[in-house]
Amino acid sequence: MGMFRKLFARSEPEDRWSERDLALENAPWSPLHGLDDDDDFLARYDDRGFTRPQRKYSQGWRRIIPSRWQDKSWLWWISRWTAAFLAVFILLVGYLAITAPLSKSLEPIAPPQITLLAADGTPIARNGAVVDEPVQVSELPDHVIEPFLAIEDRRFYSHWGVDPRGIGRAVFTGVGGGSTITQQLAKFTFLTPEQTLTRKAREALIAFWLEAWLTKDEILERYLSNAYFGDNMYGIRAASLHYFYRHPENLRPEQAAMLAGLLQAPSRLAPTRNPDLAAARYGLVKNAMVAAGYLTQEEADAMAVPTLDVRTRNDLPTGTYFADWALPEAREISGMSYSRETLTTTLDSRLQNIARRVVERAPLGEAQVALVAMRTNGEVVAMIGGRDYSESPFNRATQARRQPGSTFKLFVYLSALRAGWSPGDTIANTEFTSGSYQPGNSNDRYSEVITLRDAFAQSSNVAAVRLFNEVGSEAVIETARELGITTPLPDGDPSLALGTSTMSLLELTAAYAGVAGNSFPVSPRAFPQEEEGWFEWLTNGRGSLNASDHEDMQDMLRAAINDGTGRAATLSVANYGKTGTTQNNRDALFVGYAGDLVVGVWIGNDDNSPLDGVTGGGLPARIWRDFMRGALGAEAAPPRATPSPDPSGPVEPLDVPNLEDIPMGERSRLSIRDGEAVFSTDVEGVPLQIGVRDGELTLDVDEEAAQRRLEEASGQPSGQER
């Protein structure tokens, strides 16, 4: 030790070293012998005598880890890696418990079938998968379970969710799908059908998780209750009832084997569509059962191809315009369950048929049409979303967003009434000569002033824009919002007064329903709701107009039909409405109400191209009138001169002050409408109109009245089938 102390002691002059010390240093037995030549020593110690850090392993995998772990044993490393793997596995299981809840495997993998009925019980549409109650493995015979195990997962009761042997057998023999039943349950319950390594890894992980939380029988039950068997049948109970009209507990061995074979490719192998392919697959299932020991070869040979017993037929459409719109609400009502649902809607089959007939006989040319009819409480009773659902299921009543044109003026004039204006007040009706926005009136007809009532009835654009500027865009937007309009409405844009913001016909009609019932906003709905109690009525948050404003607004809506642009919609009962024609005749609308019905009609082209001479006061108003006439049993009022709307937006009566309806007897009149001479009469209670235009003769007969008159004449009760 003394030697080492001297080594690391402070250096001294050489003359202090004695010959004895030098001899001892150079002695062969001395620990200091050859020290000056020892490079390893110099590498280990610095000039102050402190130990330098050493790298014991300069090569191999240990050199990349900290030096304090380099001497650890293999057992130490294995234990640490195992612990890390378990920690990650626990974290993944926890993640799955949150993102893929176990209860999801108890739900049907496809929305269950829902049958929608009209209010009178008439079936409308049937949509969704056919599912039925889950099965219990303990109640199924062995010969029902064995075919599925043999062809899909022979080692189901012995593996832990993933079966390497089964994968190898599938690769080399083609028997079995490689994926276990647990993996298949994980796939169609939690995952998408994409074929990627990431998805397969997640599938295996979820399979381990299912095996940890569920018993084998529970996994098999959920698999059999959810698997797809073709023909829109999900679950073995629905499939066995569909193909063999038997509950799965009563299936024969050959029937169960046939069903087990369908799972590989249900749509392609469905025996109702491809019996030969289904029979060939049935043979493979029998061979797999023999290989698995469930059958002898003699028993398999004795099993013939089972005979189908399909008794269920679906003669209802899977969708209609109304059904497509109602289905999301129906799903919310029914919830996710295995049972099939039958729900009664608000649709009135009589009114729907009237709407269909009226639209079919309308001279639309190539244009599309939409019609919505609802009660003042929002219950939709009829809906037409286009000319032909089979050609285009796009619903133009609920999905299309088009400009409402002058029908939007309802909100402008209603805002003015709420601000203190009255229908008799006047506003300038002169031409705009300054400013960046200069809307015009039809036929360049202007006047110094015009009353609000006449401006609304004649759809004066300049008056509407001036009134919009007077009451302010904020007030107009607020009124529209209170009436249920949710579409974006630009603040400060004067063109808003002329209906330049897009919205759906359903939304617009619901706003008019709020005025009709003086309770808003109105939410369109497809299913009846319970009437509100007094407490719900107090707290529903709906608004209403004061009696004076409501009466004034109805007075202007009535004037638009009696004295304005909507004369073609006039009925013999009190009716209210407004026409709308957008720029270049791209959209033509009429929205109004009579009795308890509020109806909106739209005509336009899907590509937004201009219509051929169709305006809101023309064909849409006549469709509205014809529908209301059939729905309310009200005859059309004697025809009056109908104005010709300006395609640019404003619509005013033609300047023909001396032309009036000419009485031609007690029930006959002659008038001029859109340049057409029209003779109206009544033949034994059947309204009849004969028109002459450009030398061509037109005839319009009330078909329903004629049918009633024919039935009365034949002595057959109305409505009786013949």
Side-chain angles (χ1 to χ4, degrees):
M1 294 299 292
M3 292 292 183
F4 281 96
R5 291 193 185 96
K6 289 182 180 180
L7 175 65
F8 297 116
R10 184 179 301 174
S11 62
E12 298 179 358
E14 291 184 4
D15 57 357
R16 295 188 59 183
W17 285 74
S18 64
E19 293 182 2
R20 178 177 175 273
D21 293 331
L22 292 173
L24 289 173
E25 179 183 353
N26 295 322
W29 45 266
S30 171
L32 300 179
H33 177 73
L35 189 62
D36 293 339
D37 300 326
D38 191 350
D39 294 336
D40 182 62
F41 177 85
L42 296 175
R44 286 178 297 174
Y45 297 97
D46 59 21
D47 57 358
R48 294 179 299 171
F50 294 105
T51 304
R52 299 179 187 270
Q54 300 298 304
R55 295 186 64 87
K56 183 176 181 180
Y57 300 96
S58 60
Q59 296 180 350
W61 64 272
R62 293 178 184 266
R63 62 187 175 85
I64 66 174
I65 62 176
S67 59
R68 64 179 180 274
W69 291 348
Q70 289 181 351
D71 291 328
K72 300 299 183 182
S73 66
W74 283 103
L75 182 61
W76 185 90
W77 281 107
I78 291 173
S79 64
R80 278 4 182 226
W81 280 109
T82 302
F85 175 79
L86 291 176
V88 172
F89 182 79
I90 292 172
L91 289 175
L92 287 175
V93 170
Y95 170 76
L96 287 174
I98 297 173
T99 61
L102 195 64
S103 60
K104 192 174 180 181
S105 64
L106 286 171
E107 299 175 354
I109 64 174
Q113 189 178 80
I114 290 181
T115 301
L116 299 179
L117 307 178
D120 62 355
T122 302
I124 302 172
R126 183 172 289 126
N127 187 284
V130 180
V131 296
D132 218 310
E133 293 299 319
V135 294
Q136 300 291 328
V137 168
S138 59
E139 298 177 1
L140 294 176
D142 291 341
H143 66 256
V144 173
I145 300 174
E146 290 168 351
F148 293 92
L149 299 180
I151 196 67
E152 294 295 329
D153 190 357
R154 197 174 300 174
R155 299 181 63 251
F156 171 71
Y157 280 98
S158 60
H159 62 63
W160 281 77
V162 177
D163 184 14
R165 288 174 55 184
I167 296 174
R169 183 178 65 250
V171 171
F172 290 104
T173 68
V175 178
S179 294
T180 65
I181 284 177
T182 312
Q183 286 178 275
Q184 294 181 55
L185 177 63
K187 178 173 62 178
F188 61 61
T189 302
F190 300 104
L191 303 175
T192 62
E194 61 176 342
Q195 297 294 328
T196 63
L197 291 177
T198 302
R199 204 271 299 160
K200 292 296 291 183
R202 294 184 64 202
E203 176 185 302
L205 186 61
I206 295 176
F208 284 128
W209 176 62
L210 290 172
E211 292 277 352
W213 287 97
L214 300 175
T215 66
K216 287 290 187 178
D217 283 353
E218 288 174 334
I219 293 173
L220 186 58
E221 287 170 355
R222 299 182 187 203
Y223 172 75
L224 293 175
S225 299
N226 284 286
Y228 182 50
F229 288 84
D231 275 7
N232 204 31
M233 301 292 153
Y234 288 80
I236 189 173
R237 187 175 302 279
S240 59
L241 287 169
H242 172 67
Y243 291 115
F244 303 113
Y245 204 64
R246 286 172 177 253
H247 283 283
E249 293 82 2
N250 301 323
L251 284 173
R252 297 177 57 82
E254 61 271 18
Q255 295 170 334
M258 173 68 80
L259 292 178
L262 304 182
L263 296 181
Q264 183 191 51
S267 298
R268 184 170 60 90
L269 297 175
T272 51
R273 302 179 183 181
N274 298 303
D276 294 338
L277 291 177
R281 180 66 178 172
Y282 168 71
L284 291 178
V285 174
K286 291 195 298 180
N287 293 337
M289 294 181 70
V290 172
Y294 295 131
L295 291 177
T296 65
Q297 189 62 54
E298 291 75 15
E299 291 173 332
D301 294 339
M303 290 173 57
V305 176
T307 302
L308 298 181
D309 186 5
V310 180
R311 304 187 185 186
T312 57
R313 290 288 186 272
N314 185 12
D315 54 357
L316 288 177
T318 57
T320 64
Y321 289 117
F322 178 84
D324 289 352
W325 173 68
L327 193 60
E329 186 178 352
R331 293 291 179 202
E332 292 182 6
I333 295 174
S334 62
M336 288 297 290
S337 66
Y338 283 90
S339 58
R340 282 171 272 188
E341 296 279 351
T342 299
L343 301 177
T344 301
T345 69
T346 59
L347 193 76
D348 188 310
S349 57
R350 183 183 71 89
L351 298 181
Q352 180 68 21
N353 287 332
I354 293 174
R356 178 179 53 79
R357 289 197 300 267
V358 167
V359 167
E360 285 178 351
R361 69 189 185 193
L364 295 169
E366 298 299 322
Q368 283 288 351
V369 63
L371 181 150
V372 173
M374 66 176 66
R375 304 292 181 188
T376 54
N377 63 0
E379 292 184 352
V380 176
V381 294
M383 178 180 289
I384 301 292
R387 299 177 58 171
D388 191 336
Y389 178 87
S390 61
E391 293 183 359
S392 173
F394 179 73
N395 194 332
R396 295 155 189 85
T398 63
Q399 295 174 287
R401 305 186 69 84
R402 304 293 288 258
Q403 292 184 353
S406 293
T407 58
F408 189 86
K409 292 176 182 177
L410 170 78
F411 309 111
V412 178
Y413 284 81
L414 187 54
S415 299
L417 294 178
R418 300 174 76 180
W421 292 65
S422 65
D425 291 339
T426 59
I427 194 168
N429 192 35
T430 57
E431 186 176 3
F432 281 99
T433 58
S434 62
S436 59
Y437 182 62
Q438 299 180 15
N441 283 347
S442 65
N443 299 327
D444 292 327
R445 295 182 66 246
Y446 303 95
S447 60
E448 289 298 323
V449 294
I450 190 172
T451 65
L452 263 61
R453 184 180 188 275
D454 290 342
F456 186 81
Q458 298 173 14
S459 203
S460 169
N461 278 354
V462 296
V465 172
R466 286 193 171 95
L467 188 61
F468 176 86
N469 293 332
E470 289 287 339
V471 300
S473 63
E474 292 184 359
V476 174
I477 293 174
E478 180 182 359
T479 298
R481 295 285 183 241
E482 290 182 15
L483 285 167
I485 300 298
T486 60
T487 189
L489 302 174
D491 188 10
D493 184 358
S495 69
L496 179 64
L498 306 184
T500 55
S501 292
T502 60
M503 61 188 66
S504 70
L505 180 64
L506 181 69
E507 187 177 32
L508 180 63
T509 306
Y512 273 72
V515 175
N518 197 18
S519 178
F520 46 80
V522 171
S523 298
R525 57 178 185 264
F527 297 91
Q529 296 182 354
E530 295 182 1
E531 293 187 7
E532 294 178 337
W534 68 271
F535 181 76
E536 289 80 6
W537 179 80
L538 286 175
T539 59
N540 59 23
R542 285 196 290 270
S544 61
L545 302 172
N546 63 52
S548 176
D549 290 345
H550 186 244
E551 183 178 352
D552 288 344
M553 192 68 250
Q554 292 209 122
D555 175 57
M556 288 191 283
L557 288 167
R558 179 74 170 146
I561 291 183
N562 286 348
D563 306 312
T565 58
R567 294 183 183 182
T570 305
L571 297 173
S572 60
V573 298
N575 53 348
Y576 313 84
K578 185 71 183 76
T579 60
T581 308
T582 64
Q583 187 74 21
N584 297 326
N585 289 59
R586 299 181 189 278
D587 304 272
L589 303 96
F590 188 91
V591 186
Y593 56 92
D596 190 38
L597 285 177
V598 187
V599 181
V601 179
W602 167 88
I603 296 176
N605 292 316
D606 286 340
D607 60 1
N608 205 31
S609 60
L611 295 166
D612 185 13
V614 180
T615 60
L619 188 56
R622 291 196 289 272
I623 291 176
W624 186 93
R625 177 203 65 195
D626 292 344
F627 174 81
M628 283 296 197
R629 187 169 60 183
L632 302 177
E635 296 182 2
R640 306 176 62 180
T642 303
S644 177
D646 181 5
S648 64
V651 182
E652 295 187 356
L654 295 174
D655 189 13
V656 283
N658 297 324
L659 184 62
E660 299 289 343
D661 293 335
I662 304 174
M664 302 292 291
E666 182 179 355
R667 295 186 177 181
S668 302
R669 306 182 72 85
L670 178 65
S671 62
I672 305 298
R673 184 175 64 194
D674 289 342
E676 176 184 10
V678 179
F679 176 72
S680 303
T681 187
D682 186 319
V683 179
E684 296 186 359
V686 178
L688 177 67
Q689 291 184 351
I690 302 174
V692 179
R693 187 183 187 90
D694 297 332
E696 296 184 1
L697 188 67
T698 62
L699 179 64
D700 186 7
V701 182
D702 188 335
E703 297 180 2
E704 291 190 355
Q707 180 66 28
R708 289 196 301 269
R709 185 73 182 110
L710 180 62
E711 291 172 349
E712 292 173 359
S714 62
Q716 181 177 351
S718 178
Q720 182 176 330
E721 294 185 2
R722 294 189 296 174

